[in-house]
Amino acid sequence: MDNVVEIRWHGRGGQGAKTAALLLADVAFKTGKFVQGFPEYGPERMGAPITAYNRIGDKPIRVHSNIYHPDYVVVVDEGLLDVVDVTDGLSEDGAIVVNTKKSVSEIKKHLGGYSGKVFTIDARKVSKQCLGRYFPNTPMLAAIVKVSRVMEENVFFKEMQTSFEHKFSSKPEVIEGNMNALKMAFEEVRG
């Protein structure tokens, strides 16, 4: 599809991959983009592998299927690298972003010969430092925005601030922590 960025998210139930995909769609929509953000439903339960998707474009998006040939893949749980073929259909011109402490060269060994761009971020470190607990979806959301360039950084931060202010109006400390996590994640992406 012309001018449509397709992103596939891999995570485990409870890690927030679905929430991050929906939030990305919401924020992109507010910038005037045409969007889709949806999970693939099955027998999901806490800890089970899940998949979510985003389509973001400048024109109406008429296709309504799962994404089989994504431009970008986000892996929220590196343990999935040996369980799920996360690079299946991934464009060699695209990229994969993995939540891990490991280096890019270490991660490439788990990607079945994928020769496209690989990025890593330690979302656990970012989350613990900024939020005090492990919520990988916020840092991974910032990481994929940085890597994919689906929107400009300043626009992303502005729209996320507005979204967090609405969602967490009674918890201002949560807003600040999440904004700090987004900003730190932009700096922490390696690749």
Side-chain angles (χ1 to χ4, degrees):
M1 280 179 290
D2 293 336
N3 300 320
V4 174
V5 173
E6 294 185 318
I7 301 169
R8 187 173 65 215
W9 297 75
H10 293 279
R12 292 189 184 275
Q15 292 179 324
K18 174 184 130 182
T19 301
L22 296 176
L23 191 52
L24 178 57
D26 185 52
V27 170
F29 178 76
K30 289 176 182 174
T31 69
K33 299 284 189 183
F34 292 89
V35 301
Q36 292 179 356
F38 56 97
E40 179 178 347
Y41 283 107
E44 281 80 17
R45 62 192 182 286
M46 188 69 79
I50 67 105
T51 309
Y53 306 93
N54 285 112
R55 286 190 180 97
I56 302 170
D58 295 322
K59 296 179 181 174
I61 301 168
R62 306 240 185 263
V63 65
H64 297 283
S65 66
N66 290 348
I67 294 172
Y68 301 104
H69 300 284
D71 300 298
Y72 301 95
V73 167
V74 181
V75 181
V76 182
D77 185 322
E78 75 174 292
L80 293 172
L81 296 177
D82 296 322
V83 177
V84 176
D85 182 4
V86 296
T87 61
D88 184 38
L90 178 58
S91 168
E92 298 290 330
D93 296 329
I96 185 168
V97 182
V98 180
N99 173 14
T100 183
K101 288 185 205 180
K102 295 177 182 167
S103 69
V104 168
S105 60
E106 288 176 285
I107 291 301
K108 282 185 176 182
K109 296 174 189 172
H110 298 274
L111 300 180
Y114 176 71
S115 61
K117 294 178 185 167
V118 178
F119 296 86
T120 63
I121 179 171
D122 186 350
R124 179 179 298 277
K125 177 181 108 176
V126 172
S127 180
K128 290 262 198 177
Q129 187 171 327
C130 297
L131 301 168
R133 292 180 54 196
Y134 182 47
F135 296 108
N137 60 340
T138 300
M140 296 307 291
L141 175 58
I144 193 57
V145 168
K146 179 176 182 172
V147 169
S148 67
R149 298 181 181 143
V150 293
M151 67 185 76
E152 292 190 25
E153 183 178 344
N154 60 335
V155 172
F156 173 66
F157 290 140
K158 177 180 170 274
E159 293 300 334
M160 289 302 298
Q161 178 79 34
T162 302
S163 181
F164 287 149
E165 286 171 356
H166 175 74
K167 186 175 181 177
F168 302 116
S169 60
S170 63
K171 302 176 186 176
E173 71 281 358
V174 174
I175 298 167
E176 183 180 352
N178 275 284
M179 288 306 297
N180 289 340
L182 293 173
K183 290 173 183 172
M184 183 176 175
F186 254 76
E187 301 303 315
E188 294 286 320
V189 174
R190 302 289 176 251

